[in-house]
Amino acid sequence: ETGVTQSPTHLIKTRGQQVTLRCSSQSGHNTVSWYQQALGQGPQFIFQYYREEENGRGNFPPRFSGLQFPNYSSELNVNALELDDSALYLCASSRDRHTGELFFGEGSRLTVL
Amino acid sequence: GESVGLHLPTLSVQEGDNSIINCAYSNSASDYFIWYKQESGKGPQFIIDIRSNMDKRQGQRVTVLLNKTVKHLSLQIAATQPGDSAVYFCAEGGKLIFGQGTELSVKP
């Protein structure tokens, strides 16, 4: 158990719809990072939030957006869903933005039809 | 493009043997590397990290070696156990740029 929880665990959407994924970070952690993991691939960095502000972004279009709340929980929003957005979305929290020791949740499996 | 990559997509070892998983990186300015393990249906789990001012770091049954000259790092697992079966990723930097992963299978 990492103390990082994600919801929902599975969901199915259709092309063009919007989705919100949620993550609660481990107690004492102020940094949350989001990753997209396609089947058989390594996780791809989407973005990181540190103390409610975006602190770095990977190669994802603007329709991927996020928020971090004062309690350091976080949301990932994806607009105008495409078939290729089907993946496991992983959230990870860490004690600060410089460490590579991230604590991952078990992910939200998104299927876009 | 991808800046870290593992040499082999799969590795099969006998229980009790030592395992070595290799990773190469392309950016000579990279100064921080991390190894993660991902079991089926779970999120990645931190194993060990190393900074570029070190050549070697040891943990419990694991050792990471860093060769900056050839831009290569390896993860060694001693006395491999069935519970070590998973996909192993090397990653670079604090925001974790992951490679493709090596699937380790341990034969009883």
Side-chain angles (χ1 to χ4, degrees), chain A residues 35 37 41 55 100 102 104, chain B residues 32 36 38 44 95-96 100:
Chain A
Y35 292 82
Q37 187 174 27
Q41 303 293 314
N55 180 53
L102 274 57
F104 282 84
Chain B
Y32 182 40
Y36 275 81
Q38 187 173 24
K95 294 181 176 61
L96 299 191
Q100 291 278 57

Side-chain angles (χ1 to χ4, degrees), chain A residues 6-60:
Chain A
Q6 294 187 241
S7 63
T9 55
H10 295 81
L11 68 167
I12 300 173
K13 293 285 188 177
T14 56
R15 270 188 309 173
Q17 285 189 311
Q18 178 265 344
V19 67
T20 297
L21 307 178
R22 295 178 174 84
C23 172
S24 64
S25 57
Q26 187 178 115
S27 177
H29 288 186
N30 58 25
T31 302
V32 171
S33 304
W34 286 91
Y35 292 82
Q36 180 195 66
Q37 187 174 27
L39 207 59
Q41 303 293 314
Q44 299 297 306
F45 175 69
I46 303 176
F47 42 57
Q48 182 184 79
Y49 280 85
Y50 168 69
R51 296 194 173 194
E52 302 180 61
E53 295 200 0
E54 188 177 288
N55 180 53
R57 187 181 182 92
N59 189 26
F60 282 81

Side-chain angles (χ1 to χ4, degrees), chain B residues 70-91:
Chain B
V70 295
K71 291 184 282 188
H72 176 274
L73 66 158
S74 66
L75 178 72
Q76 301 178 5
I77 304 172
T80 313
Q81 302 168 1
D84 295 325
S85 294
V87 179
Y88 288 80
F89 295 98
C90 62

Side-chain angles (χ1 to χ4, degrees), chain A residues 48-100:
Chain A
Q48 182 184 79
Y49 280 85
Y50 168 69
R51 296 194 173 194
E52 302 180 61
E53 295 200 0
E54 188 177 288
N55 180 53
R57 187 181 182 92
N59 189 26
F60 282 81
R63 59 190 185 84
F64 285 77
S65 63
L67 280 175
Q68 187 179 30
F69 301 99
N71 67 353
Y72 302 133
S73 66
S74 179
E75 284 183 356
L76 165 65
N77 299 288
V78 188
N79 293 323
L81 284 166
E82 301 177 0
L83 297 179
D84 285 349
D85 295 333
S86 295
L88 180 68
Y89 288 85
L90 293 162
C91 167
S93 74
S94 53
R95 67 177 185 276
D96 64 57
R97 56 188 164 164
H98 301 298
T99 181

Side-chain angles (χ1 to χ4, degrees), chain B residues 42-61:
Chain B
K42 296 187 176 181
Q45 177 186 0
F46 173 88
I47 302 172
I48 193 168
D49 59 359
I50 189 168
R51 295 197 180 268
S52 59
N53 61 350
M54 301 174 72
D55 296 324
K56 178 180 180 179
R57 192 165 187 217
Q58 291 183 289
Q60 188 177 14
R61 281 200 307 118

